[in-house]
Amino acid sequence: MFPLAITGATAVVPDVTARLPGAGALGPWIVLAYNGLFAAALLLAGATADRTARTRFFAAGNIVVAATGVLSALAPDLLSLVVLRVVAGVGAAMCAAGGSSMILAVYPPQERRRVYGYAGAALFSTARMSLETLTLATATGVMAALGPSSGLAVAGAVCLTAAVIVRQAVPSRDT
């Protein structure tokens, strides 16, 4: 969710800046407001989550992110959109901190590493989709230029290379 809130917004800044009324200089703030407030609010959100009802705090963060997402789609101008992105950044910090706080409360110390690993894998899968998209785009371009078999060969070579790199980089539990 969070990586898409950043990369998705970055991709549409030029189009949104051109379509919504307001100062063009506000365009980059569509992304900066979310990123900046997420980072700035994260420590305070973590401290608050540890001292309050963790589940409610996490749920409130999700509600804030969802509501600001819907309202952002309906924003009448750039300034309103930037303000909504500020609030969304705070909501995202509440989600991240509330989720971490719940993990600390629920799982014993020896299990936390595994749980955080799963969370990291879920976030990495979003980045992996970008690699798959790039691979698909490259393969499609090669197919258009050299024929279908060559495009499939490029995609296969990229996937095989990635598999070998991951196999070498990630130690096995058997050893």
Side-chain angles (χ1 to χ4, degrees):
M1 176 175 80
F2 303 127
L4 280 178
I6 297 167
T7 58
T10 302
V12 299
V13 166
D15 189 46
V16 169
T17 303
R19 289 178 186 231
L20 289 179
L26 288 173
W29 284 97
I30 297 168
V31 177
L32 295 172
Y34 179 91
N35 293 355
L37 266 292
F38 174 78
L42 196 54
L43 288 175
L44 179 60
T48 304
D50 287 339
R51 290 170 177 78
T52 62
R54 296 168 171 89
T55 306
R56 287 187 186 146
F57 190 77
F58 177 74
N62 277 290
I63 290 168
V64 168
V65 170
T68 55
V70 170
L71 293 172
S72 291
L74 304 172
D77 55 39
L78 284 173
L79 182 59
S80 300
L81 179 57
V82 170
V83 169
L84 287 165
R85 296 285 292 170
V86 164
V87 177
V90 173
M94 291 171 68
C95 290
S100 290
S101 183
M102 286 189 301
I103 288 171
L104 290 173
V106 171
Y107 291 96
Q110 63 272 18
E111 292 291 317
R112 291 178 191 155
R113 187 172 29 186
R114 179 180 53 83
V115 174
Y116 280 118
Y118 290 143
L123 287 173
F124 175 73
S125 67
T126 304
R128 186 180 65 99
M129 286 188 278
S130 298
L131 175 63
E132 290 168 354
T133 303
L134 178 62
T135 302
L136 181 61
T138 303
T140 303
V142 171
M143 277 193 274
L146 304 175
S149 298
S150 57
L152 294 173
V154 168
V158 169
C159 291
L160 181 60
T161 303
V164 169
I165 290 170
V166 168
R167 178 79 172 129
Q168 295 299 318
V170 178
S172 173
R173 287 184 175 232
D174 297 333
T175 57

